[in-house]
Amino acid sequence: MAIAFAVDAPRPFEANPGLISFRAQRPVDTVEVRVNGRRYAIVDLKRPTRRATVGPIGLPPRDITVTVVGWADGRAVGSQTATDVLGLPKASMTIRPIRETPRRAQLRMRQLRHPATAAAAWAVNLASGEGASYNAGARFAAASTVKLPVMIALLMQLRADVTATSAWGPLQSMVRSSSNDAANQVLTLLGGSPEAGGARATAVARALGATRTDTAAGYLPGQDRRLRRSAVPPVQVVDQPDVPCCKVTTAHVLGVLMQAIVEAAAGRGKARRMGLTGRDARVALWLLAHTSHPGFFAPWTPYATAHKIGDVDRAWHDVAAIFTPRGPLITVAMTDNPSGASESAASLYGRAVLRVALTGLRPEPPPKPPARPALPELPGAFS
């Protein structure tokens, strides 16, 4: 039997900026959005339709339950509720190419006090198209940050909603708890063995433009292609740590991979063209926003933050997507010390990188929310 009213977005276990997508048996003229049981927004459609995507309208930036109700001629056609939704601001889908490196922001990034023998940073404002970096082409021991391309590769490969497959449990453990055992399970699902899965994840990362990373035990041809010294922001090596073989990455690579997820969530970008659907990307952001470690950026900002941390004895890294009211920021902080990296020092470095991103990349005060008009009354059980 056909469902009278089905909601494709938002669905459980995803980060969503108020993007509403539905299908109905009869034409719908109005969509009601409820947050935690209370009426939040009314969207009048231009004309009655059986299928539409509206928004983003913006949702409260926290974990919420969202109910979408379809209305036709003043009567409820049907409703669907999604739990475990991370609300995001409306501007989360504002994406512009990164084309400018403000000189002052770049200088400030270079002058940040380094907490270890080597450090690297990358920050881009996807709403303004500006970025700044430091030592972004240097390779560091990747630690668990390489689980980011593994997740992307698996989501691209699956032809079903990952939350409804057997991969959901291992994927959650790999991302949220950074479990190495779960990572080996995911790699095996991806390629048939951890080694083949690692090679597959590396290939996907390279196709996305992350050319100086390796998730497999060994290097692949083309690892040392020329750095894009004219890139925006610069991808240069200022201080190359003496890292052991073989899992390596750079600040630029981590930034590119996180940016690819955010772009796919907005329905665009290379990852989307390679098969990472909007739903896949929104699930990825939900997972990254619910990790067990707070990371080096989320503790310093009130905004919803999705991130992946990585650490080994000598290194502490974090890459994050920060969803501000003006649009998303991508931030990366990496530290290396052969004598033992300091988590607290790395966290302070992350705070300094975040400060440059928030104040140096076209700083604007967050907009004051407009007074919400009184919502119209709708008849029926949902009024």
Side-chain angles (χ1 to χ4, degrees):
M1 180 180 296
I3 299 175
F5 185 77
V7 177
D8 296 317
R11 289 157 66 187
F13 307 112
E14 69 173 43
N16 190 298
L19 184 71
I20 312 298
S21 182
F22 70 87
R23 293 169 285 123
Q25 280 188 300
R26 56 177 295 191
V28 168
D29 54 44
T30 304
V31 173
E32 177 187 5
V33 179
R34 288 176 168 249
V35 172
N36 296 337
R38 294 177 176 270
R39 184 176 293 164
Y40 179 78
I42 298 293
V43 180
D44 293 319
L45 304 180
K46 291 182 178 179
R47 61 180 181 273
T49 180
R50 290 185 175 89
R51 181 188 297 264
T53 298
V54 298
I57 62 173
L59 291 173
R62 58 182 182 273
D63 290 316
I64 55 178
T65 295
V66 181
T67 300
V68 179
V69 187
W71 293 84
D73 298 323
R75 299 185 64 180
V77 171
S79 69
Q80 189 169 311
T81 297
T83 59
D84 297 294
V85 175
L86 174 63
L88 298 178
K90 178 179 179 179
S92 298
M93 297 183 73
T94 302
I95 309 291
R96 291 187 174 89
I98 309 303
R99 291 177 174 166
E100 184 178 352
T101 301
R103 292 182 60 184
R104 183 173 176 81
Q106 185 69 5
L107 178 62
R108 288 176 59 194
M109 195 73 85
R110 291 202 306 264
Q111 292 176 338
L112 293 181
R113 191 172 182 177
H114 301 159
T117 56
W122 177 272
V124 295
N125 185 326
L126 297 184
S128 69
E130 296 179 342
S133 64
Y134 169 76
N135 202 27
R139 290 197 188 100
F140 286 69
S144 287
T145 60
V146 291
K147 291 166 183 170
L148 195 62
V150 173
M151 174 183 65
I152 294 172
L154 179 70
L155 291 171
M156 284 182 177
Q157 181 170 291
L158 292 175
R159 290 294 181 264
D161 184 346
V162 67
T163 67
T165 71
S166 60
W168 181 233
L171 184 63
Q172 283 203 78
S173 296
M174 182 187 76
V175 178
R176 300 182 64 184
S177 304
S178 210
S179 165
N180 289 334
D181 289 339
N184 284 332
Q185 288 181 265
V186 173
L187 286 168
T188 301
L189 289 170
L190 184 58
S193 70
E195 293 76 18
R200 171 63 181 158
T202 300
V204 168
R206 290 166 181 275
L208 290 172
T211 58
R212 291 175 63 80
T213 191
D214 202 339
T215 64
Y219 294 102
L220 299 180
Q223 181 75 21
D224 289 308
R225 68 182 65 182
R226 174 182 287 183
L227 295 179
R228 296 188 300 132
R229 297 187 181 277
S230 61
V232 179
V235 184
Q236 297 178 339
V237 178
V238 179
D239 184 8
Q240 174 61 62
D242 183 19
V243 296
C245 181
C246 287
K247 292 180 174 63
V248 293
T249 194
T250 73
H252 168 252
V253 160
L254 295 178
V256 164
L257 292 174
M258 186 63 80
Q259 181 175 335
I261 297 173
V262 176
E263 288 177 342
R268 65 196 73 174
K270 193 166 187 178
R272 177 66 188 90
R273 295 192 294 272
M274 289 173 59
L276 190 70
T277 67
R279 163 65 175 170
D280 292 336
R282 294 192 298 271
V283 170
L285 292 174
W286 185 91
L287 287 169
L288 293 167
H290 290 85
T291 58
S292 57
H293 195 291
F296 300 149
F297 302 108
W300 312 113
T301 175
Y303 308 127
T305 300
H307 80 106
K308 185 69 192 82
I309 201 162
D311 71 281
V312 290
D313 289 343
R314 63 180 293 157
W316 277 98
H317 314 316
D318 197 16
V319 51
I322 302 165
F323 295 95
T324 80
R326 289 290 186 184
L329 297 175
I330 307 296
T331 52
V332 182
M334 308 185 74
T335 65
D336 178 273
N337 189 338
S339 300
S342 165
E343 180 182 359
S344 60
S347 181
L348 291 174
Y349 185 61
R351 180 174 68 171
V353 172
L354 177 63
R355 185 180 297 119
V356 174
L358 288 172
T359 65
L361 303 179
R362 189 168 297 176
E364 293 181 83
K368 293 183 178 179
R372 185 178 293 279
L375 297 176
E377 289 298 323
L378 293 173
F382 296 96
S383 61

